[in-house]
Amino acid sequence: MADPILSAKRATLESFLADYDPGVTPKFTSASTGQTVLFGALANKDPHARAAIANRLLDDGADAAVVSSSGVSLLHVLLGQRAHDPGLEGPLLRRLLEGGAPINKLDSREGAPLGMLYRLSTLSDEDRIPMYEAFFDRPDLDLDARATTTHTIRELIEKAAENRPLPHRLMLDHDARRGA
């Protein structure tokens, strides 16, 4: 049997589903890395295949809260990709967060997931709105989590507020809802 994690990473939805077992595949975990098939799906380079495979796995019970043995979360994998489709990935981010993906989990290199999204250079802030909203709508978002080794998410957003007003406004709205 082919490695389902690698298959999810490289496949189209159609080719992935050809060997898919809804009773087994969503729960498969690598003994050496602690990664599940959802890690592979979120590492797929094609945003459409990524979202479709990940949503199918979530529909069939994949765990959104899993963290690899090296401390990487599913959010880090998703936001670490180069190509994105915010219209597909905004709702997917919401599903992952609602399923327990650790919103404030720090990666030793990348920091907190929202910091990764904020630093993503391949999309404009306007294009990122569905993805930003998935984060800023969450009451458990910690804006004081590290975005880099030297700055928190809040500090990065405040520092660039004049040039990037959209994330700044979303941050202020988030703070107001929380009574901060």
Side-chain angles (χ1 to χ4, degrees):
M1 178 175 137
D3 178 345
I5 297 172
L6 191 56
S7 174
K9 183 175 181 177
R10 296 182 176 166
T12 64
L13 176 63
E14 295 75 22
S15 64
F16 177 76
L17 292 177
D19 293 325
Y20 184 74
D21 180 343
V24 175
T25 308
K27 309 280 190 228
F28 177 86
T29 302
S30 166
S32 62
T33 66
Q35 292 185 356
T36 64
V37 180
L38 197 47
F39 277 85
L42 295 175
N44 193 305
K45 293 189 184 329
D46 175 11
H48 298 310
R50 179 186 313 141
I53 293 168
N55 278 309
R56 176 61 189 263
L57 290 164
L58 290 166
D59 288 345
D60 291 338
D63 183 4
V66 70
V67 174
S68 75
S69 55
S70 65
V72 175
S73 79
L74 294 166
L75 299 176
H76 293 120
V77 174
L78 174 60
L79 295 169
Q81 302 311 305
R82 290 181 188 252
H84 292 276
D85 183 329
L88 296 172
E89 292 174 312
L92 178 56
L93 275 169
R94 283 187 188 281
R95 283 194 79 183
L96 292 168
L97 291 165
E98 289 167 3
I103 192 169
N104 302 307
K105 174 81 173 125
L106 298 180
D107 175 77
S108 61
R109 291 189 330 248
E110 301 294 338
L114 179 55
M116 292 177 69
L117 175 59
Y118 184 76
R119 292 187 318 270
L120 188 67
S121 62
T122 57
L123 298 170
S124 71
D125 281 328
E126 289 75 19
D127 289 338
R128 285 180 252 195
I129 289 173
M131 298 168 81
Y132 276 142
E133 288 176 340
F135 281 97
F136 284 109
D137 286 350
R138 299 286 305 183
D140 52 344
L141 174 63
D142 180 5
L143 293 167
D144 296 313
R146 287 272 162 215
T148 66
T149 56
T150 57
H151 293 94
T152 66
I153 296 166
R154 181 182 305 282
E155 290 166 343
L156 281 183
I157 292 172
E158 287 174 345
K159 192 174 178 181
E162 187 175 320
N163 296 324
R164 296 181 70 184
L166 178 61
H168 188 254
R169 180 183 51 78
L170 291 167
M171 180 182 75
L172 294 175
D173 291 347
H174 178 267
D175 285 345
R177 284 191 305 275
R178 291 187 62 203

